[in-house]
Amino acid sequence: MRTYDTIPPGGARRRSVLGGAAAVAAGFALAGCGGGAEDEKAAPKERKKGQKITLTFWSWVPGIDKPVDLWNSKNPEVQVKVEKVSAVNGAQYAKMHAAIKAGNPPDLGQIEFPVVPGFLLDNGLLDLTTVGGERYKSRFVGWQWQQSVFGKGVYAIPQASGPMGLFIRQDLFDKWDIEPPATWDEYEAAARKIRKKGAWIETFAPTNGNRFAGYAWQAGAKWYAAEGDNWTVAIDDEPTRKVADYWEALVKQKLVKTIPDRQNAWYKDIQTGAIPAWLGASWGDALLVGNAPDTKGTWRAVPLPQWTKGANAQANWGGSTTAVFAGAAYPKDALDFAVWLNTDPEAIKLLIEGGYGFPSAKTGYKTSDLDVHKDFFGGQAYSQVFREAGDHVDTSWQWGPGVDTLYQRLGDAFTEALSSGDSFRSVLKKVQAQTVSDLKGKGLKVESGG
Amino acid sequence: MRRPTRTEARNARAAAGFLLPFLALFLLCFITPIVYAVWQSLHKTERTGPLGLGGAEREVFAGFANYAQALADDRFLSGFGRVLLFGAVQIPLMIILATVLALLLESASARWVTFFRSAFFLPYGVPGVIASILWGFLYVPGISPLVKMADAVGWQVDFLSRDAVLWSIANIVTWQFTGYNMLVLIAQLKAVPQELYEAARIDGANARQVALHIKIPLIRPALVLTCVFSIIGTLQLFAEPMVLRPLASSIDSGYTPNLHAYSEAFVGNNQHLAAAEAVLLALVACVLSFGFLRLVGQRGKGDGR
């Protein structure tokens, strides 16, 4: 699931706060801290027959109200109340972590795959196997189910993923006589041709750790591994170095921009054709349609360029789950809702219309259902591209705790490297060391791999 | 010992009645958060269990470990350096500008005084976040009319580049707070007895001399006050870099000390370290503002006042 980062974060007036973090501490104090994990492990309550309850659900997915309304009309006894949270710069997770600490989290929450382990660290999520959650495994795409499995526990119900692909402006590529690149070498050649026409193929957004992880994932990197009691961190591994070298070369030759993506300046470039391509994910269709409506009909989706010609290595960017928080008063009902939301054909149809990504459920929809913006892509059955990408994502990729911090560290280090001219390899080295010490600081047993 | 009379006792009760609500609020809203922040800063979280997940979590006493970690962090320290540089340039500029505007608007020949006063003050009514978004649009290449105009005359500007972005933020802050400071200074100018001006004019002083030798020395307390507010405000710089961060590849997550603490608390999920950083920030703000007050206080005595 993408994050919607066009709205600014809320903030206090500069002169009226007493130091941000101090104010934050005040918030915790007033909310009554404590509420530790221990008291939350009380036996889950069973809803009595006929008893009416209301579950709260924190989400930022546009159009989520519609499937929830459908559920509410079908389940008068278990009403779900959606509370929208801001998904800017991870504000939604900050809010969830704070609520967990304060002991009053909602019943359900929208959580992206990479941050699930971070919530486990807080004992924030309910192990769904305690209420029979493992029964639903067969209804979901295997690797996506696996993203929330740690040890014997199942910690979230997968909702959607984001297989990656390359969006291109077919009209401009035709005009400039450029074939859609099938390999990264061809991509670089295309970038060179496009630069000669005065445009830029893309931007290497230094702060977009999500997308960089996708590139590394495709190249065969494995940033985290959990074995026994140990975590292994390998951000500075051979595949990631290959990716870093590749993008560094593009940046140094000035073949790509270095502005942030999915921000005003980038949208402008997308609208005007100054950037005629985007290495995006399946959910990117809605983003292009919403922000560059005048380019209707000119876009196509093609598979991600490959490292070796004819290979079929794919990657995933984003993807989210519906999780039940530890301490939910009626976990069984919460689980029922989470499963229904993500497998019921009608619910999925409504979610697709809202533009939420690529369903994690195996059944209940056809790929053609996803082609909601077909006209925008000149009639191309573009979801097929992502469907096939989704089938070839390396399923052994695993996320570890503290991915938010990792992305921030990567962003800071890339930002620094771009201005100082340091090598991208030094970025990986630095972030590797920082991540190991971050996890140690959280009291985990960590080894450095790679 | 004399027994208190009934009136005295009643007075004491009445005083307590007035004081208690204040004291309660003071304790709850002011003292408690500070004590809690200090307490947090002296503790850390310890985890056990397989993979560190799903196991027990407890708070243990950490002594000054969080402070040591904060002070060993280059990025936290360079954030301090950045805001100090910012303050050294932006505060004098803004205060001078505010003083000039105040004197101009309060001079005898000023026209449209109320209109200009409100116009200059207006930006203060715009929340910092909104102001930053607004200026953000004027800074972002491809959208900004300013960049476009500069481009048209062959001047390549990038307001969000690494070298420029700090001063682009300074511009937002100056835009926002000059009018506010101006108003404080005008309020003090209004309190100056008119006879002083008359006496100066009778002595043959021109407008410039009146401003330099009478008005400015007399609004000195207001100048000191606005400076102290600005010092504290500068150290707390947060909203502007926070809002511009997604737009600019040149602002990192520890750009200012406040942003660094925020990132530690909400991205790194390490409230203990963030609390230590907040306490350090408060200490520096204390030292700088009291230091400034002492400095100008002593010079004030030297003037024989």
Side-chain angles (χ1 to χ4, degrees), chain A residues 167-171 174 285 288-289 293 295-301 371-383:
Chain A
F167 293 105
I168 57 166
R169 280 282 299 273
Q170 190 66 51
D171 57 331
D174 285 347
D285 54 348
L288 292 175
V289 172
T295 56
K296 184 176 175 176
T298 62
W299 289 90
R300 300 290 183 279
D371 289 332
V372 278
H373 304 299
K374 214 169 173 174
D375 291 350
F376 191 84
F377 291 90
Q380 184 195 9
Y382 63 98
S383 291

PDB file of all heavy atoms in Angstrom, chain A residues 167-171 174 285 288-289 293 295-301 371-383:
ATOM      1  N   PHE A 167       6.387   1.919 -15.565  1.00  0.00           N
ATOM      2  CA  PHE A 167       5.404   2.701 -16.315  1.00  0.00           C
ATOM      3  C   PHE A 167       6.152   3.568 -17.326  1.00  0.00           C
ATOM      4  O   PHE A 167       7.146   4.228 -16.955  1.00  0.00           O
ATOM      5  CB  PHE A 167       4.616   3.613 -15.377  1.00  0.00           C
ATOM      6  CG  PHE A 167       3.718   2.885 -14.419  1.00  0.00           C
ATOM      7  CD1 PHE A 167       4.066   2.754 -13.077  1.00  0.00           C
ATOM      8  CD2 PHE A 167       2.519   2.331 -14.847  1.00  0.00           C
ATOM      9  CE1 PHE A 167       3.236   2.087 -12.187  1.00  0.00           C
ATOM     10  CE2 PHE A 167       1.680   1.667 -13.957  1.00  0.00           C
ATOM     11  CZ  PHE A 167       2.038   1.538 -12.635  1.00  0.00           C
ATOM     12  N   ILE A 168       5.705   3.575 -18.569  1.00  0.00           N
ATOM     13  CA  ILE A 168       6.367   4.451 -19.550  1.00  0.00           C
ATOM     14  C   ILE A 168       5.340   5.234 -20.366  1.00  0.00           C
ATOM     15  O   ILE A 168       4.201   4.815 -20.531  1.00  0.00           O
ATOM     16  CB  ILE A 168       7.260   3.654 -20.536  1.00  0.00           C
ATOM     17  CG1 ILE A 168       6.430   2.580 -21.251  1.00  0.00           C
ATOM     18  CG2 ILE A 168       8.450   3.031 -19.834  1.00  0.00           C
ATOM     19  CD1 ILE A 168       7.138   1.995 -22.453  1.00  0.00           C
ATOM     20  N   ARG A 169       5.802   6.395 -20.860  1.00  0.00           N
ATOM     21  CA  ARG A 169       4.995   7.184 -21.790  1.00  0.00           C
ATOM     22  C   ARG A 169       5.251   6.630 -23.190  1.00  0.00           C
ATOM     23  O   ARG A 169       6.214   7.011 -23.852  1.00  0.00           O
ATOM     24  CB  ARG A 169       5.419   8.651 -21.734  1.00  0.00           C
ATOM     25  CG  ARG A 169       4.864   9.433 -20.564  1.00  0.00           C
ATOM     26  CD  ARG A 169       3.403   9.830 -20.785  1.00  0.00           C
ATOM     27  NE  ARG A 169       3.234  10.682 -21.954  1.00  0.00           N
ATOM     28  CZ  ARG A 169       3.350  12.009 -21.932  1.00  0.00           C
ATOM     29  NH1 ARG A 169       3.640  12.626 -20.820  1.00  0.00           N
ATOM     30  NH2 ARG A 169       3.178  12.721 -23.036  1.00  0.00           N
ATOM     31  N   GLN A 170       4.341   5.736 -23.637  1.00  0.00           N
ATOM     32  CA  GLN A 170       4.547   5.072 -24.924  1.00  0.00           C
ATOM     33  C   GLN A 170       4.697   6.085 -26.064  1.00  0.00           C
ATOM     34  O   GLN A 170       5.537   5.922 -26.944  1.00  0.00           O
ATOM     35  CB  GLN A 170       3.373   4.126 -25.198  1.00  0.00           C
ATOM     36  CG  GLN A 170       3.587   3.204 -26.379  1.00  0.00           C
ATOM     37  CD  GLN A 170       4.717   2.198 -26.139  1.00  0.00           C
ATOM     38  OE1 GLN A 170       4.753   1.518 -25.136  1.00  0.00           O
ATOM     39  NE2 GLN A 170       5.669   2.141 -27.065  1.00  0.00           N
ATOM     40  N   ASP A 171       3.901   7.160 -26.035  1.00  0.00           N
ATOM     41  CA  ASP A 171       3.939   8.130 -27.137  1.00  0.00           C
ATOM     42  C   ASP A 171       5.328   8.766 -27.264  1.00  0.00           C
ATOM     43  O   ASP A 171       5.866   8.901 -28.362  1.00  0.00           O
ATOM     44  CB  ASP A 171       2.861   9.195 -26.942  1.00  0.00           C
ATOM     45  CG  ASP A 171       2.990   9.931 -25.619  1.00  0.00           C
ATOM     46  OD1 ASP A 171       3.493   9.312 -24.648  1.00  0.00           O
ATOM     47  OD2 ASP A 171       2.617  11.114 -25.532  1.00  0.00           O
ATOM     48  N   ASP A 174       7.909   6.207 -28.425  1.00  0.00           N
ATOM     49  CA  ASP A 174       7.777   6.010 -29.875  1.00  0.00           C
ATOM     50  C   ASP A 174       8.400   7.171 -30.639  1.00  0.00           C
ATOM     51  O   ASP A 174       9.156   6.982 -31.590  1.00  0.00           O
ATOM     52  CB  ASP A 174       6.295   5.894 -30.264  1.00  0.00           C
ATOM     53  CG  ASP A 174       5.722   4.536 -29.880  1.00  0.00           C
ATOM     54  OD1 ASP A 174       6.534   3.644 -29.549  1.00  0.00           O
ATOM     55  OD2 ASP A 174       4.487   4.385 -29.880  1.00  0.00           O
ATOM     56  N   ASP A 285      -0.967   2.931 -10.727  1.00  0.00           N
ATOM     57  CA  ASP A 285      -1.914   3.376 -11.749  1.00  0.00           C
ATOM     58  C   ASP A 285      -2.770   4.529 -11.241  1.00  0.00           C
ATOM     59  O   ASP A 285      -2.890   5.560 -11.895  1.00  0.00           O
ATOM     60  CB  ASP A 285      -2.786   2.188 -12.211  1.00  0.00           C
ATOM     61  CG  ASP A 285      -3.493   1.482 -11.059  1.00  0.00           C
ATOM     62  OD1 ASP A 285      -3.137   1.751  -9.893  1.00  0.00           O
ATOM     63  OD2 ASP A 285      -4.400   0.668 -11.324  1.00  0.00           O
ATOM     64  N   LEU A 288      -0.903   7.863 -11.050  1.00  0.00           N
ATOM     65  CA  LEU A 288      -0.709   8.545 -12.338  1.00  0.00           C
ATOM     66  C   LEU A 288      -2.031   9.150 -12.822  1.00  0.00           C
ATOM     67  O   LEU A 288      -2.077  10.303 -13.241  1.00  0.00           O
ATOM     68  CB  LEU A 288      -0.166   7.558 -13.376  1.00  0.00           C
ATOM     69  CG  LEU A 288       1.254   7.060 -13.139  1.00  0.00           C
ATOM     70  CD1 LEU A 288       1.621   5.993 -14.167  1.00  0.00           C
ATOM     71  CD2 LEU A 288       2.247   8.216 -13.210  1.00  0.00           C
ATOM     72  N   VAL A 289      -3.095   8.371 -12.728  1.00  0.00           N
ATOM     73  CA  VAL A 289      -4.401   8.852 -13.178  1.00  0.00           C
ATOM     74  C   VAL A 289      -4.797  10.101 -12.393  1.00  0.00           C
ATOM     75  O   VAL A 289      -5.266  11.088 -12.954  1.00  0.00           O
ATOM     76  CB  VAL A 289      -5.470   7.758 -12.995  1.00  0.00           C
ATOM     77  CG1 VAL A 289      -6.857   8.309 -13.285  1.00  0.00           C
ATOM     78  CG2 VAL A 289      -5.169   6.573 -13.890  1.00  0.00           C
ATOM     79  N   PRO A 293      -3.901  13.601 -15.201  1.00  0.00           N
ATOM     80  CA  PRO A 293      -5.079  13.175 -15.967  1.00  0.00           C
ATOM     81  C   PRO A 293      -4.970  13.520 -17.458  1.00  0.00           C
ATOM     82  O   PRO A 293      -5.525  12.808 -18.292  1.00  0.00           O
ATOM     83  CB  PRO A 293      -6.234  13.946 -15.306  1.00  0.00           C
ATOM     84  CG  PRO A 293      -5.601  15.037 -14.523  1.00  0.00           C
ATOM     85  CD  PRO A 293      -4.250  14.563 -14.139  1.00  0.00           C
ATOM     86  N   THR A 295      -2.567  13.161 -19.423  1.00  0.00           N
ATOM     87  CA  THR A 295      -1.734  12.256 -20.218  1.00  0.00           C
ATOM     88  C   THR A 295      -2.469  10.953 -20.523  1.00  0.00           C
ATOM     89  O   THR A 295      -1.859   9.965 -20.914  1.00  0.00           O
ATOM     90  CB  THR A 295      -0.424  11.928 -19.461  1.00  0.00           C
ATOM     91  OG1 THR A 295      -0.771  11.378 -18.187  1.00  0.00           O
ATOM     92  CG2 THR A 295       0.425  13.160 -19.268  1.00  0.00           C
ATOM     93  N   LYS A 296      -3.765  10.967 -20.341  1.00  0.00           N
ATOM     94  CA  LYS A 296      -4.604   9.782 -20.551  1.00  0.00           C
ATOM     95  C   LYS A 296      -4.315   9.112 -21.898  1.00  0.00           C
ATOM     96  O   LYS A 296      -4.210   9.787 -22.916  1.00  0.00           O
ATOM     97  CB  LYS A 296      -6.064  10.213 -20.492  1.00  0.00           C
ATOM     98  CG  LYS A 296      -7.038   9.084 -20.592  1.00  0.00           C
ATOM     99  CD  LYS A 296      -8.459   9.607 -20.420  1.00  0.00           C
ATOM    100  CE  LYS A 296      -9.435   8.465 -20.652  1.00  0.00           C
ATOM    101  NZ  LYS A 296     -10.810   8.885 -20.405  1.00  0.00           N
ATOM    102  N   GLY A 297      -4.205   7.791 -21.858  1.00  0.00           N
ATOM    103  CA  GLY A 297      -4.042   7.035 -23.091  1.00  0.00           C
ATOM    104  C   GLY A 297      -2.603   6.874 -23.544  1.00  0.00           C
ATOM    105  O   GLY A 297      -2.310   6.082 -24.422  1.00  0.00           O
ATOM    106  N   THR A 298      -1.691   7.620 -22.944  1.00  0.00           N
ATOM    107  CA  THR A 298      -0.307   7.593 -23.426  1.00  0.00           C
ATOM    108  C   THR A 298       0.578   6.644 -22.624  1.00  0.00           C
ATOM    109  O   THR A 298       1.712   6.375 -23.003  1.00  0.00           O
ATOM    110  CB  THR A 298       0.330   8.989 -23.348  1.00  0.00           C
ATOM    111  OG1 THR A 298       0.349   9.404 -21.986  1.00  0.00           O
ATOM    112  CG2 THR A 298      -0.438  10.000 -24.176  1.00  0.00           C
ATOM    113  N   TRP A 299       0.075   6.159 -21.482  1.00  0.00           N
ATOM    114  CA  TRP A 299       0.918   5.337 -20.605  1.00  0.00           C
ATOM    115  C   TRP A 299       0.765   3.841 -20.909  1.00  0.00           C
ATOM    116  O   TRP A 299      -0.284   3.401 -21.364  1.00  0.00           O
ATOM    117  CB  TRP A 299       0.568   5.584 -19.136  1.00  0.00           C
ATOM    118  CG  TRP A 299       1.001   6.929 -18.642  1.00  0.00           C
ATOM    119  CD1 TRP A 299       0.265   8.081 -18.671  1.00  0.00           C
ATOM    120  CD2 TRP A 299       2.254   7.269 -18.054  1.00  0.00           C
ATOM    121  NE1 TRP A 299       0.993   9.117 -18.136  1.00  0.00           N
ATOM    122  CE2 TRP A 299       2.218   8.657 -17.747  1.00  0.00           C
ATOM    123  CE3 TRP A 299       3.419   6.558 -17.753  1.00  0.00           C
ATOM    124  CZ2 TRP A 299       3.285   9.324 -17.162  1.00  0.00           C
ATOM    125  CZ3 TRP A 299       4.482   7.227 -17.164  1.00  0.00           C
ATOM    126  CH2 TRP A 299       4.409   8.597 -16.878  1.00  0.00           C
ATOM    127  N   ARG A 300       1.823   3.095 -20.654  1.00  0.00           N
ATOM    128  CA  ARG A 300       1.773   1.636 -20.701  1.00  0.00           C
ATOM    129  C   ARG A 300       2.576   1.122 -19.508  1.00  0.00           C
ATOM    130  O   ARG A 300       3.443   1.828 -18.976  1.00  0.00           O
ATOM    131  CB  ARG A 300       2.434   1.087 -21.972  1.00  0.00           C
ATOM    132  CG  ARG A 300       1.829   1.529 -23.281  1.00  0.00           C
ATOM    133  CD  ARG A 300       0.435   0.911 -23.536  1.00  0.00           C
ATOM    134  NE  ARG A 300      -0.053   1.323 -24.849  1.00  0.00           N
ATOM    135  CZ  ARG A 300      -0.630   2.516 -25.084  1.00  0.00           C
ATOM    136  NH1 ARG A 300      -0.807   3.381 -24.104  1.00  0.00           N
ATOM    137  NH2 ARG A 300      -1.040   2.826 -26.302  1.00  0.00           N
ATOM    138  N   ALA A 301       2.283  -0.115 -19.135  1.00  0.00           N
ATOM    139  CA  ALA A 301       3.082  -0.760 -18.088  1.00  0.00           C
ATOM    140  C   ALA A 301       3.867  -1.900 -18.718  1.00  0.00           C
ATOM    141  O   ALA A 301       3.315  -2.650 -19.515  1.00  0.00           O
ATOM    142  CB  ALA A 301       2.177  -1.289 -16.983  1.00  0.00           C
ATOM    143  N   ASP A 371      -8.132  -3.737 -13.805  1.00  0.00           N
ATOM    144  CA  ASP A 371      -7.834  -2.775 -14.869  1.00  0.00           C
ATOM    145  C   ASP A 371      -8.840  -1.626 -14.867  1.00  0.00           C
ATOM    146  O   ASP A 371      -9.430  -1.310 -15.897  1.00  0.00           O
ATOM    147  CB  ASP A 371      -7.873  -3.472 -16.231  1.00  0.00           C
ATOM    148  CG  ASP A 371      -6.686  -4.401 -16.412  1.00  0.00           C
ATOM    149  OD1 ASP A 371      -5.634  -4.135 -15.807  1.00  0.00           O
ATOM    150  OD2 ASP A 371      -6.815  -5.397 -17.138  1.00  0.00           O
ATOM    151  N   VAL A 372      -8.997  -1.004 -13.708  1.00  0.00           N
ATOM    152  CA  VAL A 372     -10.026   0.040 -13.605  1.00  0.00           C
ATOM    153  C   VAL A 372      -9.659   1.290 -14.403  1.00  0.00           C
ATOM    154  O   VAL A 372     -10.502   2.115 -14.693  1.00  0.00           O
ATOM    155  CB  VAL A 372     -10.323   0.415 -12.141  1.00  0.00           C
ATOM    156  CG1 VAL A 372     -11.284  -0.568 -11.528  1.00  0.00           C
ATOM    157  CG2 VAL A 372      -9.046   0.500 -11.312  1.00  0.00           C
ATOM    158  N   HIS A 373      -8.398   1.448 -14.736  1.00  0.00           N
ATOM    159  CA  HIS A 373      -7.986   2.648 -15.478  1.00  0.00           C
ATOM    160  C   HIS A 373      -7.507   2.276 -16.883  1.00  0.00           C
ATOM    161  O   HIS A 373      -6.573   2.868 -17.394  1.00  0.00           O
ATOM    162  CB  HIS A 373      -6.877   3.373 -14.732  1.00  0.00           C
ATOM    163  CG  HIS A 373      -7.241   3.746 -13.331  1.00  0.00           C
ATOM    164  ND1 HIS A 373      -8.286   4.586 -13.027  1.00  0.00           N
ATOM    165  CD2 HIS A 373      -6.709   3.386 -12.130  1.00  0.00           C
ATOM    166  CE1 HIS A 373      -8.381   4.731 -11.716  1.00  0.00           C
ATOM    167  NE2 HIS A 373      -7.443   4.001 -11.145  1.00  0.00           N
ATOM    168  N   LYS A 374      -8.176   1.289 -17.459  1.00  0.00           N
ATOM    169  CA  LYS A 374      -7.728   0.759 -18.740  1.00  0.00           C
ATOM    170  C   LYS A 374      -7.556   1.849 -19.801  1.00  0.00           C
ATOM    171  O   LYS A 374      -6.569   1.845 -20.546  1.00  0.00           O
ATOM    172  CB  LYS A 374      -8.731  -0.289 -19.222  1.00  0.00           C
ATOM    173  CG  LYS A 374      -8.089  -1.423 -19.981  1.00  0.00           C
ATOM    174  CD  LYS A 374      -9.073  -2.555 -20.203  1.00  0.00           C
ATOM    175  CE  LYS A 374      -8.435  -3.591 -21.115  1.00  0.00           C
ATOM    176  NZ  LYS A 374      -9.265  -4.770 -21.271  1.00  0.00           N
ATOM    177  N   ASP A 375      -8.518   2.766 -19.863  1.00  0.00           N
ATOM    178  CA  ASP A 375      -8.445   3.837 -20.874  1.00  0.00           C
ATOM    179  C   ASP A 375      -7.174   4.651 -20.721  1.00  0.00           C
ATOM    180  O   ASP A 375      -6.567   5.082 -21.693  1.00  0.00           O
ATOM    181  CB  ASP A 375      -9.636   4.793 -20.734  1.00  0.00           C
ATOM    182  CG  ASP A 375     -10.923   4.119 -21.134  1.00  0.00           C
ATOM    183  OD1 ASP A 375     -10.835   3.002 -21.685  1.00  0.00           O
ATOM    184  OD2 ASP A 375     -11.994   4.692 -20.877  1.00  0.00           O
ATOM    185  N   PHE A 376      -6.786   4.853 -19.487  1.00  0.00           N
ATOM    186  CA  PHE A 376      -5.601   5.662 -19.223  1.00  0.00           C
ATOM    187  C   PHE A 376      -4.362   4.988 -19.808  1.00  0.00           C
ATOM    188  O   PHE A 376      -3.409   5.657 -20.206  1.00  0.00           O
ATOM    189  CB  PHE A 376      -5.449   5.837 -17.706  1.00  0.00           C
ATOM    190  CG  PHE A 376      -4.428   6.859 -17.321  1.00  0.00           C
ATOM    191  CD1 PHE A 376      -4.773   8.203 -17.272  1.00  0.00           C
ATOM    192  CD2 PHE A 376      -3.125   6.496 -17.015  1.00  0.00           C
ATOM    193  CE1 PHE A 376      -3.845   9.157 -16.921  1.00  0.00           C
ATOM    194  CE2 PHE A 376      -2.184   7.447 -16.661  1.00  0.00           C
ATOM    195  CZ  PHE A 376      -2.543   8.785 -16.619  1.00  0.00           C
ATOM    196  N   PHE A 377      -4.394   3.642 -19.850  1.00  0.00           N
ATOM    197  CA  PHE A 377      -3.256   2.896 -20.380  1.00  0.00           C
ATOM    198  C   PHE A 377      -3.516   2.437 -21.818  1.00  0.00           C
ATOM    199  O   PHE A 377      -3.049   1.379 -22.239  1.00  0.00           O
ATOM    200  CB  PHE A 377      -2.929   1.717 -19.468  1.00  0.00           C
ATOM    201  CG  PHE A 377      -2.370   2.169 -18.145  1.00  0.00           C
ATOM    202  CD1 PHE A 377      -3.205   2.432 -17.073  1.00  0.00           C
ATOM    203  CD2 PHE A 377      -1.008   2.390 -18.001  1.00  0.00           C
ATOM    204  CE1 PHE A 377      -2.693   2.886 -15.865  1.00  0.00           C
ATOM    205  CE2 PHE A 377      -0.494   2.845 -16.795  1.00  0.00           C
ATOM    206  CZ  PHE A 377      -1.332   3.103 -15.718  1.00  0.00           C
ATOM    207  N   GLY A 378      -4.254   3.240 -22.546  1.00  0.00           N
ATOM    208  CA  GLY A 378      -4.487   2.992 -23.962  1.00  0.00           C
ATOM    209  C   GLY A 378      -5.119   1.631 -24.232  1.00  0.00           C
ATOM    210  O   GLY A 378      -4.836   1.010 -25.256  1.00  0.00           O
ATOM    211  N   GLY A 379      -5.948   1.150 -23.292  1.00  0.00           N
ATOM    212  CA  GLY A 379      -6.628  -0.116 -23.493  1.00  0.00           C
ATOM    213  C   GLY A 379      -5.793  -1.338 -23.120  1.00  0.00           C
ATOM    214  O   GLY A 379      -6.242  -2.471 -23.237  1.00  0.00           O
ATOM    215  N   GLN A 380      -4.579  -1.117 -22.649  1.00  0.00           N
ATOM    216  CA  GLN A 380      -3.716  -2.244 -22.266  1.00  0.00           C
ATOM    217  C   GLN A 380      -4.281  -2.961 -21.031  1.00  0.00           C
ATOM    218  O   GLN A 380      -4.772  -2.313 -20.101  1.00  0.00           O
ATOM    219  CB  GLN A 380      -2.303  -1.729 -21.923  1.00  0.00           C
ATOM    220  CG  GLN A 380      -1.318  -2.853 -21.596  1.00  0.00           C
ATOM    221  CD  GLN A 380      -0.050  -2.325 -20.919  1.00  0.00           C
ATOM    222  OE1 GLN A 380       0.035  -1.159 -20.548  1.00  0.00           O
ATOM    223  NE2 GLN A 380       0.939  -3.195 -20.772  1.00  0.00           N
ATOM    224  N   ALA A 381      -4.211  -4.308 -21.040  1.00  0.00           N
ATOM    225  CA  ALA A 381      -4.596  -5.065 -19.839  1.00  0.00           C
ATOM    226  C   ALA A 381      -3.398  -5.024 -18.894  1.00  0.00           C
ATOM    227  O   ALA A 381      -2.706  -6.011 -18.680  1.00  0.00           O
ATOM    228  CB  ALA A 381      -4.957  -6.497 -20.202  1.00  0.00           C
ATOM    229  N   TYR A 382      -3.177  -3.860 -18.329  1.00  0.00           N
ATOM    230  CA  TYR A 382      -1.905  -3.610 -17.638  1.00  0.00           C
ATOM    231  C   TYR A 382      -1.744  -4.414 -16.356  1.00  0.00           C
ATOM    232  O   TYR A 382      -0.624  -4.669 -15.909  1.00  0.00           O
ATOM    233  CB  TYR A 382      -1.728  -2.113 -17.371  1.00  0.00           C
ATOM    234  CG  TYR A 382      -2.764  -1.510 -16.451  1.00  0.00           C
ATOM    235  CD1 TYR A 382      -2.506  -1.330 -15.106  1.00  0.00           C
ATOM    236  CD2 TYR A 382      -4.009  -1.134 -16.938  1.00  0.00           C
ATOM    237  CE1 TYR A 382      -3.459  -0.782 -14.258  1.00  0.00           C
ATOM    238  CE2 TYR A 382      -4.968  -0.578 -16.110  1.00  0.00           C
ATOM    239  CZ  TYR A 382      -4.689  -0.413 -14.767  1.00  0.00           C
ATOM    240  OH  TYR A 382      -5.625   0.113 -13.943  1.00  0.00           O
ATOM    241  N   SER A 383      -2.851  -4.814 -15.743  1.00  0.00           N
ATOM    242  CA  SER A 383      -2.722  -5.555 -14.486  1.00  0.00           C
ATOM    243  C   SER A 383      -2.092  -6.921 -14.694  1.00  0.00           C
ATOM    244  O   SER A 383      -1.537  -7.502 -13.762  1.00  0.00           O
ATOM    245  CB  SER A 383      -4.085  -5.701 -13.818  1.00  0.00           C
ATOM    246  OG  SER A 383      -4.497  -4.427 -13.384  1.00  0.00           O
TER     247      SER A 383
END
